[in-house]
Amino acid sequence: MIHDKKAHKYGMVIDLDKCTGCGTCAVSCMSENNVPFKEDESDKKDSITWMRVYRLTNNKPFPDTEVAFLPRPCQHCGGKGDHGHSPCVSVCPATATDYGYDTGIVSQIYTRCFGCRYCMAACPYHARYFNWWDPVWPEGMEKYLSPNVSPRMRGVVEKCSFCYHRYQLAREKAYANGSDEIPEADYQTACTTACPAGAIVFGDLNNPSHKVHQIVKPDPHPDPLNPDVVGKSRNPKVFRLLERLGTNPKVYYMSEREWVRKLGDHYLDGEWDKVKNVYGSASHE
Amino acid sequence: NWPWTPVPPDGEVSYDRTVCHLCPGTCGISVRKIDDRPVKIEGLDSYPVNNGGVCLHGIAGLQYLYDPSRVKSPLKKINNRFVPISWDEALTLVGDRLGELRNDQNPEALACITGSDQGSVPGLFNHFMAAFGSPNYLTMPDLESWLVRTAKTLHGDAYTLGFDIDHSDFILSFGAGLIDGWGSPVACIQAMGNRRQRQATLVQIEPRLSNTAAGASQWIPINPGTEADLAMGMCAVLLKENRFDPVFAQGFKGGFMRFTAMVQKEYPLDKVAGVTGISAADIQKTAVAFAKAKMPVALPGKGRGEGAQNLKEFAAVHTLNCLSGNVNKQGGTFVKPLPKYLNFPDPVQDAVALKGAAAAPLAGSVQELVTRIDKSGESPVKALLVYNANPCFALNDPFRILAAFEKIPFKVCVTSFMDETAMASDVILPVSTFLERMEDVPSKAGLAATVVGLSKPMVKPVFNTRSPGDVVIGMARALGGDMAKSFAWDSYDACLEQVTARIWGPLVRKGHVVLSENPPAGSVETDFEFLAENPVTVKPAGDLEFTLIPIDYFRVPPTVPAPSPFAIKTVSDRILRGTDMFVEINPQSAKNLKDGGFATLTTPAGSVPVRVHFNDGIMPGVIGMVKGLGHTLDNRYVSGKGVNINALISPKIEPNSGMDAAFGIKAGISKA
């Protein structure tokens, strides 16, 4: 029974100017969530990495080249109008992936998934991975597996859960303490706590006292130019990936560098200049 | 439903704290356990080195615990195959073989190589060598050893250097990979993470746009291996314009006038500009900005700062710190006395030991030792101990090192993993990993503070392994006689308590002790004799068109231990694809090569097939290859992937330091 009745909207903002591309978030995620590994992981299409770090470049020739890194967990889309119709949830015939209206987290229930992979086709962020094989750990290594997350089996899709088990633990702790508030520090994802550069900030986008809300300053009203888009940031440095699709991701990115922000979407010639200074409306503050 | 899928048993959750010593970073870590099973490693809040931060290798520590290449019991090589033996048999065997050297009055024929020389376990090896009677104790060239060598050259014995980059407002990095694994990696990444808020400038000088360069305020590309010349040129600028600190200069001794005259003459701006490929204006501007900064720091040590570096470069870069006068001040460079918290009793040396220990050391570095063995018909080294080091993989030209190993009649490897050096040994004594044993872990590698942590066992040894300290004590006991007298401890844990007696109480209570964190008090003298002689800059060997340089990539550790399966999983498919190794090249100098295409890379040391990755962020004329891949150890998740760049580089010894200073090598590349 859920005692905490507030509608949370958990999300994160990743500072791409702080991210060093060290890969610690990815490994912390693998270790926390019992993500398996195979002999060859260099074919990235079938390498299961809930958190994957992409390398971005400004494509300028030497010596004007610049590089940035973009960690990509599941974006936990709210779907058009932020009504919970995430691209993957909408297409799942098995209700194996669902939208949590109390948390904003997109779930994945392995035992329901029958491996049709519609969700993978629907996800614009390549955040979902299919288990083509049963996971096998070298002899004895399965001893380090955590009981908080079920190891997956062949034939199911998996993805980042925003460390949902950590939410459950934090909720139980709050309940045991007789509180219906989950303190910000009590629910943090494994990538957030691991990042040595402090580039990831996680919390409740609905809670004005949370750091993530203060950085993102999400506009709760639909974008006047595109009513599908809700929660656009009022911070000029903050953007979302493929924002105009109206997927309404809860993962925001931040950079002072314009070329980095521009890589958040595919812009035709001249399009970027029209939108680059459009932020969430200040009138709703 | 799926009986073949493991169901991890549930149990009581607890957290325990310890210190990671996979690398010189020495971060405090928190281990989450389910009953007695560790399941997750995280950073330890409030540990003075890493303040809660952690890196991917530390988190993957549990994979090392159950690594397929773990040595599970003592092994002896018979007909080129390893056979498990008991600890008693192994230690007796080692005792007998080493005992022969002492019986032959030839104890100095024993050599010992360890990964580092700090802490009580290397201390025990040192103690062992002294009691045995051999001066031939060597360590691998890590950043700390370069810093100690630099401090010795400029300031005298028993100092090391620390850099207060947390507070500095202007960091002039000569290729130091501050977010690529240099120094204490997590501490450096944290300092870089808050650099912008502090409005501190980072100028990164290196031939390739590393991640550090990508995050810097300014990247200055430089011809590979000319960093020493640039630093000398900058010294010339500062001296010419009188931009040095007159107060600190009062401590300038030996050869300062000669040094001043020499750099003005030998390193004029236009000449340095020609050598380094950086414009005279940029050199001038950068040197002046450094001198004008309130709290400048110049950092030596390309990449991780270990392996083949060179003393001229370290000394020249540190001379910039000395000229700035920002030494032993907050936000500056600390010339710190080496930590002295260990008190070993004097070893009992018999006549054999006294004679042997007084002999001249065979070499000053592992590469020099290998050269010695190479050049002698019969190896002067009759027995070798290796601990926590993998010279047969990690040093330049590993084949040459393997060949030297072949000539040594008896090799003992004290290790947790069946790595390249273990495979080349005769006896392997398996040691517990850092999660299975107690040990003191002193911080090092350029940190401003000196912290000693206590690493504790988080789990019972998974295999039939012992703590390395117990292995040394066991070897000494097996030798018997006066050797055993020097090792009268019941166990390593008892030894640790005795030798750290001064700090043992707080160490056990708090888990760590901060020995020093403020700038060292008092003045230091600076001696310019070494640089005043204008030592030669070691250039890459060969005369081919390109220069091949190693890339220190944070996700691949270059030495001990080998990468974990998780770390390998994070490696980009533009570095490794299947077993194919990629090299980086600037499209401007790629000629008929294709991005992603196959090519043959040739250096004077060898030739390998590679694939090509076009990277605009590497200087034209330079080829970059990630260091640390191409392992051949017994772990299919890590082995047989890519190429070990060290096999393509021949060592080039720097005359004054005796160290391998080959940063890369000349190379050719053609379409395959």
Side-chain angles (χ1 to χ4, degrees):
Chain A
M1 186 180 164
I2 297 166
H3 295 266
D4 171 22
K5 296 215 169 60
K6 283 204 191 80
H8 303 292
K9 208 169 126 184
Y10 285 105
M12 56 174 62
V13 55
I14 307 180
D15 187 340
L16 303 185
D17 298 336
K18 278 190 178 172
C19 175
T20 66
C22 70
T24 302
C25 52
V27 170
S28 183
C29 169
M30 293 176 204
S31 177
E32 178 79 19
N33 292 296
N34 295 336
V35 175
F37 54 90
K38 315 186 293 293
E39 189 169 332
D40 179 13
E41 292 281 3
S42 67
D43 182 354
K44 299 302 179 191
K45 286 199 291 290
D46 71 26
S47 177
I48 299 177
T49 44
W50 293 11
M51 176 63 121
R52 184 169 169 194
V53 182
Y54 288 87
R55 181 175 179 270
L56 315 177
T57 116
N58 66 350
N59 266 327
K60 287 198 180 158
F62 175 86
D64 300 318
T65 321
E66 287 186 41
V67 166
F69 293 90
L70 183 141
R72 193 257 28 230
C74 169
Q75 306 285 303
H76 293 277
C77 304
K80 281 195 177 174
D82 211 19
H83 299 308
H85 305 297
S86 322
C88 52
V89 170
S90 311
V91 298
C92 180
T95 329
T97 184
D98 205 358
Y99 189 81
Y101 286 95
D102 52 337
T103 56
I105 293 174
V106 176
S107 66
Q108 181 72 26
I109 301 155
Y110 313 122
T111 44
R112 284 187 189 166
C113 175
F114 52 65
C116 71
R117 291 178 281 137
Y118 283 5
C119 57
M120 292 173 69
C123 173
Y125 303 104
H126 297 286
R128 297 178 153 268
Y129 295 89
F130 186 62
N131 283 276
W132 290 96
W133 296 276
D134 270 315
V136 180
W137 281 270
E139 197 192 336
M141 209 185 265
E142 71 280 352
K143 285 203 192 82
Y144 77 48
L145 295 177
S146 156
N148 293 338
V149 183
S150 324
R152 282 70 64 186
M153 58 300 272
R154 182 186 50 191
V156 306
V157 169
E158 62 180 83
K159 67 157 192 85
C160 156
S161 66
F162 268 175
C163 289
Y164 194 75
H165 58 285
R166 290 189 173 208
Y167 169 69
Q168 291 171 315
L169 290 171
R171 198 177 58 189
E172 279 166 24
K173 187 176 158 192
Y175 178 60
N177 291 341
S179 153
D180 60 357
E181 277 290 318
I182 296 176
E184 188 175 9
D186 279 11
Y187 173 35
Q188 290 292 323
T189 63
C191 50
T192 307
T193 55
C195 177
I200 310 179
V201 171
F202 180 82
D204 185 356
L205 288 160
N206 279 351
N207 189 335
S209 73
H210 283 201
K211 229 171 121 195
V212 67
H213 176 97
Q214 292 161 3
I215 297 171
V216 172
K217 301 191 193 81
D219 180 350
H221 299 270
D223 181 354
L225 301 174
N226 183 351
D228 293 338
V229 174
V230 180
K232 210 171 162 66
S233 173
R234 295 185 181 114
N235 181 338
K237 292 196 303 184
V238 172
F239 64 103
R240 288 186 285 184
L241 299 180
L242 310 177
E243 190 166 44
R244 61 179 150 172
L245 290 183
T247 49
N248 291 313
K250 275 184 279 297
V251 177
Y252 292 78
Y253 294 93
M254 175 157 77
S255 177
E256 299 205 348
R257 291 170 282 185
E258 189 185 323
W259 70 266
V260 172
R261 297 198 297 271
K262 192 180 168 190
L263 283 173
D265 207 334
H266 308 285
Y267 294 102
L268 299 172
D269 280 348
E271 266 188 320
W272 170 247
D273 289 324
K274 281 185 219 148
V275 300
K276 69 177 179 188
N277 291 321
V278 179
Y279 322 117
S281 166
S283 62
H284 301 306
E285 291 244 26
Chain B
N1 286 3
W2 294 271
W4 55 87
T5 304
V7 179
D10 212 343
E12 194 184 335
V13 182
S14 63
Y15 294 84
D16 205 350
R17 53 171 291 169
T18 185
V19 182
C20 172
H21 40 115
L22 288 170
C23 88
T26 67
C27 295
I29 52 173
S30 160
V31 179
R32 190 200 313 157
K33 291 196 226 175
I34 302 293
D35 293 335
D36 51 3
R37 226 160 42 83
V39 298
K40 179 80 196 274
I41 292 178
E42 293 178 308
L44 182 65
D45 291 339
S46 80
Y47 195 76
V49 172
N50 56 313
N51 299 311
V54 65
C55 83
L56 70 161
H57 305 299
I59 296 174
L62 298 176
Q63 295 202 316
Y64 289 117
L65 204 52
Y66 306 105
D67 192 292
S69 68
R70 282 287 306 265
V71 183
K72 300 178 177 68
S73 79
L75 299 173
K76 167 169 92 167
K77 198 185 255 172
I78 302 173
N79 297 330
N80 249 334
R81 289 188 52 148
F82 283 108
V83 181
I85 52 175
S86 71
W87 271 104
D88 280 345
E89 190 184 345
L91 290 172
T92 311
L93 173 67
V94 173
D96 289 351
R97 291 292 299 266
L98 298 188
E100 286 168 23
L101 296 181
R102 281 171 56 83
N103 292 341
D104 296 346
Q105 308 278 316
N106 191 19
E108 65 269 27
L110 172 68
C112 176
I113 300 170
T114 62
S116 133
D117 60 0
Q118 296 197 16
S120 68
V121 171
L124 271 172
F125 276 95
N126 202 6
H127 195 65
F128 182 90
M129 294 299 279
F132 192 87
S134 171
N136 294 307
Y137 173 62
L138 297 165
T139 57
M140 296 286 279
D142 63 351
L143 174 62
E144 179 65 15
S145 70
W146 282 106
L147 294 176
V148 171
R149 199 168 276 117
T150 307
K152 184 174 178 176
T153 307
L154 276 94
H155 305 296
D157 257 333
Y159 285 106
T160 183
L161 302 180
F163 303 96
D164 193 8
I165 52 176
D166 271 325
H167 298 105
S168 167
D169 66 344
F170 191 101
I171 303 154
L172 182 62
S173 158
F174 288 76
L178 289 168
I179 57 176
D180 296 280
W182 187 90
S184 183
V186 172
C188 286
I189 289 177
Q190 287 176 337
M192 291 300 107
N194 62 33
R195 183 177 62 79
R196 262 170 254 264
Q197 276 123 286
R198 290 188 287 122
Q199 298 188 318
T201 305
L202 168 65
V203 177
Q204 185 73 10
I205 305 163
E206 58 179 316
R208 178 181 169 270
L209 185 75
S210 66
N211 294 0
T212 310
S217 320
Q218 191 192 356
W219 168 45
I220 303 180
I222 181 171
N223 290 332
T226 62
E227 289 84 353
D229 298 79
L230 177 66
M232 295 288 251
M234 288 185 170
C235 289
V237 171
L238 300 187
L239 289 165
K240 189 172 167 198
E241 301 190 0
N242 240 346
R243 288 183 190 275
F244 61 94
D245 182 42
V247 180
F248 191 71
Q250 287 169 4
F252 287 175
K253 301 280 178 288
F256 178 59
M257 298 315 268
R258 273 197 303 130
F259 172 73
T260 307
M262 186 281 292
V263 284
Q264 312 275 21
K265 183 160 160 277
E266 301 293 335
Y267 296 90
L269 264 183
D270 49 342
K271 186 174 162 193
V272 174
V275 171
T276 58
I278 304 171
S279 74
D282 276 350
I283 299 174
Q284 166 87 22
K285 204 176 80 196
T286 311
V288 171
F290 175 79
K292 279 189 171 168
K294 247 196 253 150
M295 293 178 281
V297 158
L299 298 179
K302 299 178 288 278
R304 282 189 170 82
E306 53 190 38
Q309 304 279 342
N310 71 79
L311 184 59
K312 177 181 179 181
E313 187 178 314
F314 270 74
V317 171
H318 180 52
T319 300
L320 284 170
N321 288 322
C322 296
L323 292 179
S324 80
N326 194 25
V327 175
N328 291 352
K329 292 177 191 158
Q330 202 192 36
T333 306
F334 295 179
V335 179
K336 308 190 290 183
L338 281 174
K340 275 200 205 105
Y341 66 95
L342 292 172
N343 287 304
F344 275 96
D346 289 333
V348 180
Q349 287 178 305
D350 54 19
V352 181
L354 283 170
K355 185 180 141 278
L362 284 167
S365 71
V366 180
Q367 286 283 14
E368 231 180 18
L369 183 73
V370 168
T371 307
R372 263 315 264 277
I373 297 171
D374 231 4
K375 289 198 174 137
S376 331
E378 198 182 320
S379 167
V381 177
K382 302 287 184 234
L384 176 69
L385 283 174
V386 182
Y387 164 64
N388 199 28
N390 188 3
C392 297
F393 175 86
L395 296 179
N396 282 334
D397 204 350
F399 299 119
R400 190 177 92 113
I401 294 162
L402 278 169
F405 261 59
E406 282 290 305
K407 288 172 84 175
I408 302 173
F410 187 63
K411 287 103 32 192
V412 181
C413 194
V414 182
T415 179
S416 297
F417 307 101
M418 185 59 100
D419 60 20
E420 289 78 2
T421 302
M423 282 192 275
S425 305
D426 300 293
V427 174
I428 303 176
L429 303 176
V431 291
S432 306
T433 62
F434 75 101
L435 292 167
E436 303 164 296
R437 69 189 203 224
M438 175 127 92
E439 196 167 322
D440 56 318
V441 189
S443 69
K444 45 198 169 186
L447 278 173
T450 308
V451 181
V452 181
L454 183 66
S455 139
K456 291 178 302 184
M458 294 289 110
V459 58
K460 281 199 204 104
V462 175
F463 300 111
N464 184 13
T465 57
R466 291 186 182 179
S467 146
D470 283 322
V471 171
V472 181
I473 295 172
M475 289 193 299
R477 284 210 193 123
L479 276 156
D482 289 326
M483 273 305 285
K485 278 187 210 155
S486 299
F487 292 82
W489 300 285
D490 287 337
S491 68
Y492 168 69
D493 291 358
C495 161
L496 180 64
E497 188 175 339
Q498 191 199 331
V499 298
T500 59
R502 235 161 29 87
I503 57 167
W504 179 252
L507 193 59
V508 171
R509 243 187 351 266
K510 279 171 52 197
H512 70 269
V513 173
V514 179
L515 294 184
S516 75
E517 53 184 342
N518 297 318
S523 57
V524 269
E525 295 193 342
T526 311
D527 182 300
F528 289 84
E529 288 295 344
F530 169 71
L531 286 177
E533 295 299 321
N534 192 18
V536 292
T537 303
V538 175
K539 294 199 175 69
D543 49 11
L544 292 160
E545 185 189 353
F546 290 91
T547 308
L548 171 70
I549 59 163
I551 299 172
D552 278 342
Y553 176 59
F554 192 63
R555 302 182 195 174
V556 179
T559 52
V560 178
S564 62
F566 278 161
I568 286 287
K569 190 168 172 170
T570 64
V571 171
S572 155
D573 57 356
R574 273 322 181 91
I575 291 173
L576 190 67
R577 192 81 210 239
T579 58
D580 295 339
M581 183 84 194
F582 280 79
V583 292
E584 290 183 4
I585 188 165
N586 191 302
Q588 291 172 35
S589 55
K591 286 180 226 158
N592 64 345
L593 298 172
K594 280 206 187 80
D595 191 26
F598 288 88
T600 305
L601 177 69
T602 306
T603 73
S607 181
V608 289
V610 291
R611 289 176 73 174
V612 175
H613 167 45
F614 282 2
N615 178 4
D616 285 304
I618 188 164
M619 281 175 94
V622 177
I623 299 172
M625 186 191 270
V626 165
K627 191 172 173 172
L629 291 167
H631 271 287
T632 53
L633 45 74
D634 183 20
N635 178 345
R636 64 197 178 97
Y637 301 96
V638 173
S639 267
K641 296 175 189 297
V643 170
N644 180 3
I645 185 178
N646 299 329
L648 295 168
I649 301 178
S650 350
K652 232 181 147 184
I653 304 294
E654 184 183 21
N656 300 288
S657 66
M659 301 294 292
D660 176 14
F663 181 64
I665 193 164
K666 289 290 180 182
I669 189 164
S670 58
K671 207 166 159 182

